[in-house]
Structure formats: structure tokens, C-alpha cells
Amino acid sequence: MNSLSQVQRRLIWIGCLVPFVSSIALMLWYWPGSLPQDSTSGVWTALAQDFANGIFYRPTADAYGFGGTRYMPLFFVLHGTLIRLSLDPIFAGLLLTVASIVLFDLALLCCLRVLGVRWSLAVPLSVLCHAAVSFQLLSLQVKGDVLAGGLNLWGIYFGLRYARARSPLVLGCCALALLGAFLTKFTALVGAVAVCFWLVRRGERRQAVTLAAVLAALGAGALALIQWASDGRALTSFLAVASGGARPGYALGAPLWFALVALQDPVFLIIVAVAGLYAAALLRQDRMSFPVGYFLLAAAGTLAIFTSPGTDSNHFLDLLGAAVLLLGWQLTFGAGSPSPRLAVGLAAALAGLAALTWVPGMISIKSLIEKGGRPERWKVAAIVGALGPQRHDLLSENPILPVLAGQRPRVLDPFNLRLLARARPDVAADFTRRMNDASFGAVVLVDFTGSDRAHISAALRACTASAGDRCYGGVVFPPGFLDLLEREYVLRFVEPPFVVYEPRLHRQRLGGMKEAVLLSAPGTPPLSPDGRLQPVERKP
């Protein structure tokens, strides 16, 4: 076993706890009064709202609007259940996000302990993932990734225990945890594969086959139940959009797409790079262990996920957890080769990077959110109030806006709408007709560049994803969307990060009335010269 000095142990504690405290401080700053940070969270919330209203997977397209999702149901069913219990959709989502984070951290701690890592190392390392930008962003969002990652780790924990004790109860817990991970995120399979492979490597093929058979049976039964409960809509939805529009040419560039996204999270890159160096050294020494094998499988699985367009840093979580397990095992059983100094230096560097973000003027998640516009509840209320009677049938890039306006979103997911429109000409024609007829009372887009009214159109057209595709027409909404928008709608105002358009036909029906008249309804906030909503002074 490695024998770490007292100074090295203190550095590891500091290196793990400083970013952890920074992450908690970010959550405490962000969440009061805010919406989830990204539009994908709005899709998850809309699915939860549908479930709360008795709709389990809406049709991909019907007379009402457009559906289509590749999200598995466990997270949004739990979210919808909380909404049914009369919890506010935002608070319910936040509650579930915090519970998922606690579940993930506890699972990582238990996995480190079952691997033999001492408490003095396992406790700080269990919160090391909080240092990564991708993890901190997930703490500001409402989606199933953290829950899936936590259940995956719990499955690994029970799987490693089952390898030591042939307890049917432990096997059942392992299978249920891994099944829960799959039912939250259909790509969350790496833990099940790792446990089965490890059992085979230990010569326990019967146990591996038993676990695989139990998982296969439970998975098939769960999918059949989902299909039945959704009246056959779930499978149709998955088949329509699950690939994300993957194609051979794009798939070949998976390592590049992974690298482009990972460069936005240098802390994740540093942690994974150090773990990768340890894994390479241990493989050269022919010292295969579960943490090494799981790290390699998680890396391969993450790259495989990046063969699908639209993949983002939320898929880093499994690899990040695998890297922490490998670091803990190396610091405990590395026997001095490779040297533990690299991991200790990593911890010290992470503490320094986290401390730098507290310095005024330094780039941080908080400063970037403030620059691009923090999505807050009062902004949604102000937008709905400013639109007045025209607020019906909002077409929103973030579906959480119509949910908070008391509506059911006409478009569940703009990303999947693009896929549906490409595969089905009738869907593309229907959406174009609705835009031409000004069927949507308003269109609300999301722009995090912080651009003002004069420059917002150029910013929307210049927006590109990590792979270089145009955001509008190439990632979300069908091709030609911005042209349709600018032809049939007019920019009303900008309240970062929200950009609000209104139908031109509406203005024609009003006989060319000035914009001030449109905003003259009692209680409606006026616009400033730069096109932003201004608070209304209320008399006592």
C-alpha cells in the first residue's frame, strides 16, 4: 500500500474540499429565483409536466404539436410525481437534482470503500467530481444524468459486494440499481458491462451470466411496461430520434467532438488525464484491477456516445466517476509506482483553480452566467405580462417558459423537431404552415452571448455548436427557421437570455398602432430604449 505523508493527505483534503465548497456556493447563489440553466432542462420539465397531467410520452406529431424524445422515464416520472403532489415544477426539479447529487456522492464514497480505500481518502475523493465544470453545470440544471450516474455507481458497489458474498439480496440490489440507471438514461450501461466482465475475469462466470440474465429480463420487462403505459408512443418516439441524427461521417469524428467539448471543462480534462496516465502505467505493469478496467470501459463508452450529434458535457459523469475510483485505488494500492505525487499535485492544482474563480474579474461559471443573462422567474412573468393576450401558444426554445405560463408546450424539444422534420416531410410542412399562419402567439429564443437588441439577430445567425453546425436550423428547429422567423415575426424585446418575437400579422390587425400601445395594458412593464423590460413601480 502507498503510505501518504500527513502533508500529502492534507493537500488532498484541501484539493477536494475547496472545489466542493465552491460548487455549493455556486448553487446557493444561482438557485433562488432562477430557472434551470439550460433549455434541455426545460424539455425534462415539460415531460414531467405532461406526466403530471396524465400524458406519458406524447405523440411525435399530432394536431396539437410536436413531441419526440429519447429520454428514459425514471427521472421525469419522479419529477412529475412531485408536481402531482402540488410542488412547483422548478422547486420539484431542484429537489430532485439535489437528491441525485447526494445519491451520487454517497455512491462514490461506498464504491471507494468497497475497493479498500481508507476513510481518510475516500471521504474527500467522494466529492472531487464537484470540481469539474460539467458537474457544477449539472447542479444548476434539472435532468436525469446525475441520477443515472449515481444509480450506476450503486450498481457497481453492490456488484463488487456480490463478487465477495453470493447473497441473492445483494444481487437483487445490484440488478435494481443498474436497471434504474438504464431507465433514467438509456446509455447508462457501462456499469453493468464492467461488473459482468469483472466477474468473468475472476472466474465467476456463473455469477456473471446470472447477473446478465437478470438484467436482461428486468430490462425487457420494463421496456414492455413503458410501451404499454404509453399506448405504444414510447417506442415510436425512441426510434424516431434516439440516434440524434447520427451518420457514419460524423461518427468517425467522435474523438474530435469529445475533445472540443472537453476543452470547455479543463478540470475534467486534468482529472481524466492523470487517471489515464495511471491506467497506462498499470497496464504496462500487467496490474489490471476493477478501477482500471472500469475506467477504460467508461472512456470507450463516452466516446461511443459522442458519435451522436448533440452530445454535450453532461455525458462526462461516468468517466469522471471512473477516474476518481482509479485515483483512490492508486493512492491506496499503488505501491509507490507510479508515484502518488501526481495525484497529490492534481488536488493542489484543483484547489488553486477553484480559489482563482473567487477573485473578482476572473472567468468563472458565475461570471459567464451573469454576462449571458441569468434565466430568472421574474423575467418569464414579465415576458408573459408584456405579451398580454398574445401570450397563448408560445413557441419557446426552452419549453419551461410555456410550462410556467400555464401552457402545454406545442414543441416539446426543438432538437428533436429538426430530426422529425428531416425524416418526415409532413412534419416539416406542418411546422412551416404554423409559422406562416402566425399560429404561435410569440416565439422565445435563448441567447447567452449577452447581445443587445441591435445585434441579437446577427448573434443568433452566428451561433454554432461544438461540431460547427449552425444552432438554428442545424441543431435546433428545422432548416430555414430563422428566415421564417424574420419573415413572419418581428423582434419585440430582449431580456437576456430570452429573445422575444411577435407575429407581424398581429401588428397589421392592430392597424399599425405604435409599440407603446401594445404595452399599455395595466401592470405590463414598459421597454427601455435598448429593448429590455423595465420593472414597473407599484404604488402601495
Side-chain angles (χ1 to χ4, degrees):
M1 287 189 180
N2 275 322
S3 180
L4 298 176
S5 68
Q6 189 174 17
V7 173
Q8 288 176 324
R9 291 184 182 276
R10 286 178 178 174
L11 284 174
I12 290 174
W13 273 86
I14 293 172
C16 295
L17 292 185
V18 170
F20 174 69
V21 171
S22 181
S23 175
I24 300 301
L26 177 66
M27 293 183 68
L28 293 174
W29 165 79
Y30 180 86
W31 274 112
S34 293
L35 306 177
Q37 182 265 336
D38 70 334
S39 297
T40 305
S41 298
V43 179
W44 285 92
T45 304
L47 285 165
Q49 186 72 34
D50 277 356
F51 180 79
N53 292 329
I55 303 170
F56 185 52
Y57 286 104
R58 63 171 69 182
T60 53
D62 61 7
Y64 184 84
F66 309 94
T69 184
R70 53 183 176 177
Y71 298 148
M72 296 293 276
L74 182 57
F75 185 89
F76 72 74
V77 164
L78 293 174
H79 190 180
T81 301
L82 293 177
I83 295 174
R84 277 187 177 180
L85 296 175
S86 300
L87 269 68
D88 173 79
I90 306 301
F91 178 73
L94 172 59
L95 192 66
L96 198 52
T97 294
V98 172
S100 299
I101 291 173
V102 173
L103 185 77
F104 182 91
D105 290 345
L106 288 176
L108 195 53
L109 173 63
C110 289
C111 284
L112 288 166
R113 287 293 298 141
V114 81
L115 287 170
V117 180
R118 296 169 181 167
W119 283 104
S120 58
L121 278 177
V123 171
L125 288 177
S126 67
V127 297
L128 179 59
C129 292
H130 287 257
V133 173
S134 51
F135 193 97
Q136 292 187 23
L137 287 176
L138 284 170
S139 72
L140 310 181
Q141 300 167 358
V142 174
K143 53 180 64 171
D145 298 274
V146 183
L147 178 61
L151 290 172
N152 180 69
L153 286 172
W154 278 112
I156 289 173
Y157 166 72
F158 286 114
L160 293 176
R161 285 195 59 188
Y162 178 66
R164 299 178 181 179
R166 309 293 189 272
S167 168
L169 177 61
V170 174
L171 173 63
C173 291
C174 174
L176 289 176
L178 293 174
L179 175 67
F182 172 69
L183 292 179
T184 307
K185 185 176 177 182
F186 76 87
T187 57
L189 300 172
V190 65
V193 174
V195 171
C196 289
F197 272 149
W198 185 242
L199 289 172
V200 171
R201 183 176 174 81
R202 286 171 54 93
E204 301 171 3
R205 296 190 178 186
R206 176 180 296 179
Q207 286 74 21
V209 171
T210 300
L211 177 59
V214 169
L215 286 174
L218 289 175
L223 290 175
L225 181 61
I226 291 169
Q227 181 71 349
W228 171 79
S230 66
D231 293 328
R233 295 186 296 268
L235 182 59
T236 301
S237 181
F238 293 157
L239 292 177
V241 300
S243 69
R247 54 192 184 275
Y250 187 94
L252 291 175
L256 175 60
W257 314 139
F258 170 82
L260 290 174
V261 176
L263 286 173
Q264 302 171 34
D265 188 351
V267 173
F268 164 78
L269 273 179
I270 294 171
I271 294 174
V272 170
V274 171
L277 290 174
Y278 280 136
L282 292 169
L283 286 175
R284 284 197 300 268
Q285 299 170 18
D286 196 24
R287 295 172 58 196
M288 175 60 74
S289 62
F290 178 83
V292 174
Y294 178 53
F295 176 79
L296 296 177
L297 280 173
T302 303
L303 282 178
I305 293 172
F306 272 85
T307 61
S308 173
T311 306
D312 208 345
S313 62
N314 56 300
H315 294 282
F316 288 164
L317 204 55
D318 286 338
L319 182 54
L320 192 61
V324 172
L325 292 182
L326 178 55
L327 291 176
W329 189 89
Q330 171 62 28
L331 288 171
T332 303
F333 300 103
S337 179
S339 172
R341 293 179 181 177
L342 185 60
V344 175
L346 164 69
L350 295 184
L353 289 173
L356 279 177
T357 63
W358 301 344
V359 178
M362 293 296 294
I363 295 178
S364 64
I365 295 176
K366 180 180 177 181
S367 66
L368 292 175
I369 289 175
E370 289 176 328
K371 177 183 177 182
R374 182 175 164 189
E376 297 175 273
R377 297 188 71 134
W378 75 263
K379 294 180 181 179
V380 176
I383 289 170
V384 172
L387 292 173
Q390 298 306 311
R391 68 177 183 269
H392 70 280
D393 286 345
L394 292 178
L395 172 60
S396 179
E397 182 178 349
N398 187 342
I400 208 167
L401 270 75
V403 168
L404 292 180
Q407 304 173 21
R408 180 185 171 204
R410 292 278 181 175
V411 174
L412 175 65
D413 188 339
F415 176 85
N416 290 329
L417 174 60
R418 178 183 62 83
L419 300 179
L420 291 171
R422 186 176 70 178
R424 294 177 51 182
D426 60 311
V427 171
D430 187 17
F431 180 73
T432 300
R433 178 190 60 78
R434 294 181 191 229
M435 291 289 290
N436 285 331
D437 294 346
S439 298
F440 303 110
V443 178
V444 184
L445 303 184
V446 181
D447 171 69
F448 286 108
T449 65
S451 299
D452 57 18
R453 182 189 180 103
H455 301 92
I456 193 64
S457 295
L460 293 175
R461 287 193 174 274
C463 176
T464 57
S466 299
D469 295 322
R470 294 289 181 185
C471 294
Y472 298 98
V475 179
V476 295
F477 295 113
F481 169 73
L482 285 182
D483 294 332
L484 265 177
L485 178 68
E486 292 178 356
R487 188 177 74 226
E488 304 298 339
Y489 291 77
V490 63
L491 177 62
R492 177 76 177 280
F493 52 82
V494 179
E495 185 54 59
F498 302 118
V499 185
V500 183
Y501 289 82
E502 205 175 41
R504 292 184 186 275
L505 289 177
H506 170 58
R507 294 185 178 278
Q508 294 171 4
R509 287 196 295 269
L510 290 176
M513 296 172 65
K514 293 183 179 180
E515 188 163 317
V517 177
L518 294 176
L519 295 174
S520 63
T524 299
L527 296 179
S528 68
D530 65 353
R532 296 182 64 171
L533 294 174
Q534 295 296 300
V536 175
E537 294 185 8
R538 301 189 182 274
K539 297 180 180 180

